[in-house]
Amino acid sequence: MKIRKASALDTEEVKALWAYCFEKPSDPFFQWYFRELYTPETVLLGEEKGQTACDLHRRPYRLSVRGQVFDTDYIVGVATHPAARGRGYGSELLRSAFHMAAREGKPFVTLMPSAASFYLPMGFGFFVHQWERKTSPEHLAPLGRKPVSCRILSGEEGWQDLAAVYDAYTAERNGFTIRDESSWRSHIRGQLLEGYIALVYDEKGPSGYLFYSLDDRRMIVTEMAFARESGRRGLYAFMAGHRGSIDECIWYEPLDDMSFRYWEDGAEHTYIRNRSFPYMMARLTDPVTAFDGISCSGAAKGSLAFQLVDAFLPENSGIYVFRVEEGKISALKEDVFYSLKCHIEDISGVRLGPDIPEPSFCINAGSLAELFMGAADLPDLSRLEKIRWLTEDRAERDRVLSLAKAMLPKENNWMNEWF
């Protein structure tokens, strides 16, 4: 299969494949996506015998991860022509997308999986789950508090208020996208095609917003953010205010949110259904570029080495060493030096010392992505047997776990991009 970037000449075929697999051309989202977001050069296309076999869209985003801003690709619209399915073309196309991202200095990519079982063997790991919450307006009402004021946006004029709430909401979170004026205006236009945007205010100003739609007597919230608890309560009151016109509210909140501990009458189980919703996955394309330069705790001192096994991108497999230097991680791939060390030790029988450290554990690509994104720390992965220890020395294991936790602590992750 030949893989290449699409051009303007391929647009109709790209549209046809999207229409077959996702929305029809008459769908408002289809029309908006190809009018406002689509650019041919961000589509990777696979051809077999001159015919389009598959494609994917590389949506450019900037994400905040561990205090750094990274350029990345959000992969959407992975589609294979029905006549070309079952031949591994989709996997081959994704591998090319990973290589392209690495060449462009994007050390990881993200996607929202339709079937995680397809992507896990490719080295993806989940980095965002959310709570999906459902209840009737009547049962939500006791948790709400009437806001000082509320407005429904009819256009792009309220983007600054949305941005202010979003910035406050993400201030202590990780993995979220950086949104500027252009992206906010685009989000608003996309949402207002078939839905609504509500903003609530307290005495301090804009305090919360909802992106939502009304369908079959349900309010479906696709994005909720609040600057303060008064904003959350105001949004709950806004949703509860639809009693009589809807039967159910559905909304999503970050997995770190523990507000259900304070719901009345055991609402978590009796009145409000609260389940985890797997949402976003990440895949490292260049581990050294991803980790190198990340700031870490001043308590972190020393170095650790590990072996990465990456079956889908075998060129990434090898020995990696992380050292803390002036409060930042220095990441190196030590394959050549480690192989030379082993060779000399085998021949001479003399240990060469700690300058070229032995790997302490083995990890796969998906688990390394979770560690990088802050979805888990190394002690979590060890408890879940997602790493394999290469040392029997208990003291060394404890040292590595303690250092890794200081270097790469778990984060409160949240991201809410749907396209």
Side-chain angles (χ1 to χ4, degrees), residues 252-401:
Y252 299 86
E253 297 192 56
L255 203 63
D256 64 270
D257 178 72
M258 297 288 111
S259 62
F260 57 79
R261 293 171 54 205
Y262 303 100
W263 293 348
E264 299 174 8
D265 300 323
E268 176 190 0
H269 305 293
T270 308
Y271 301 118
I272 300 179
R273 283 162 287 169
N274 190 47
R275 74 176 185 94
S276 61
F277 173 67
Y279 183 70
M280 192 66 63
M281 306 181 85
R283 208 277 182 221
L284 295 180
T285 63
D286 183 345
V288 169
T289 302
F291 286 96
D292 193 54
I294 287 178
S295 297
C296 56
S297 165
K301 297 183 185 301
S303 64
L304 60 85
F306 63 91
Q307 180 183 14
L308 171 63
V309 176
D310 190 338
F312 197 74
L313 293 181
E315 65 272 20
N316 283 348
S317 295
I319 308 300
Y320 291 80
V321 178
F322 292 172
R323 294 183 175 89
V324 179
E325 297 178 355
E326 299 180 351
K328 294 183 181 295
I329 294 175
S330 172
L332 294 170
K333 191 177 182 189
E334 293 277 21
D335 286 17
V336 174
F337 300 104
Y338 182 75
S339 298
L340 180 60
K341 174 186 182 231
C342 292
H343 180 66
I344 293 173
E345 288 180 343
D346 287 344
I347 292 175
S348 67
V350 177
R351 304 291 292 176
L352 294 183
D355 288 343
I356 306 174
E358 293 280 349
S360 301
F361 61 91
C362 180
I363 191 169
N364 65 31
S367 295
L368 188 64
E370 292 179 17
L371 183 64
F372 169 70
M373 298 299 297
D377 58 22
L378 196 66
D380 285 338
L381 296 173
S382 179
R383 283 190 293 270
L384 293 169
E385 298 182 352
K386 295 297 183 181
I387 65 171
R388 177 169 58 86
W389 286 104
L390 301 177
T391 176
E392 297 298 326
D393 186 332
R394 174 56 61 180
E396 173 63 6
R397 290 187 183 186
D398 290 344
R399 182 195 73 83
V400 168
L401 289 173

Side-chain angles (χ1 to χ4, degrees), residues 39-113:
T39 52
E41 62 271 16
T42 59
V43 173
L44 201 59
L45 187 146
E47 288 182 329
E48 183 66 23
K49 297 180 180 178
Q51 300 296 314
T52 299
C54 53
D55 69 9
L56 59 79
H57 299 234
R58 304 167 63 226
R59 297 273 300 118
Y61 272 92
R62 301 174 73 219
L63 265 64
S64 176
V65 178
R66 297 190 178 277
Q68 291 189 202
V69 177
F70 292 89
D71 289 323
T72 185
D73 288 335
Y74 177 16
I75 296 174
V76 302
V78 181
T80 303
H81 193 282
R85 294 177 182 175
R87 304 179 191 178
Y89 289 165
S91 297
E92 189 177 343
L93 187 67
L94 280 158
R95 186 179 286 109
S96 293
F98 301 159
H99 289 155
M100 187 172 292
R103 289 195 300 270
E104 294 173 357
K106 300 171 181 176
F108 65 94
V109 299
T110 66
L111 58 74
M112 183 171 61

Side-chain angles (χ1 to χ4, degrees), residues 29 32 36-37 59-62 74 153 155-156 159 162-163 166 177-197 209-212 222-223 279 414-419:
F29 179 84
W32 174 77
E36 296 216 15
L37 299 185
R59 297 273 300 118
Y61 272 92
R62 301 174 73 219
Y74 177 16
L153 296 190
E156 302 167 32
W159 77 266
L162 297 176
Y166 182 87
T177 56
I178 306 298
R179 296 182 182 175
D180 58 14
E181 178 179 352
S182 175
S183 61
W184 270 115
R185 290 182 179 278
S186 177
H187 270 76
I188 291 169
R189 291 193 297 270
Q191 173 63 20
L192 294 182
L193 285 173
E194 296 182 285
Y196 306 91
I197 301 172
Y209 68 77
L210 297 177
F211 282 35
Y212 69 99
T222 54
E223 180 162 312
Y279 183 70
W414 181 79
M415 179 182 177
N416 202 70
E417 309 302 327
W418 292 82
F419 44 81

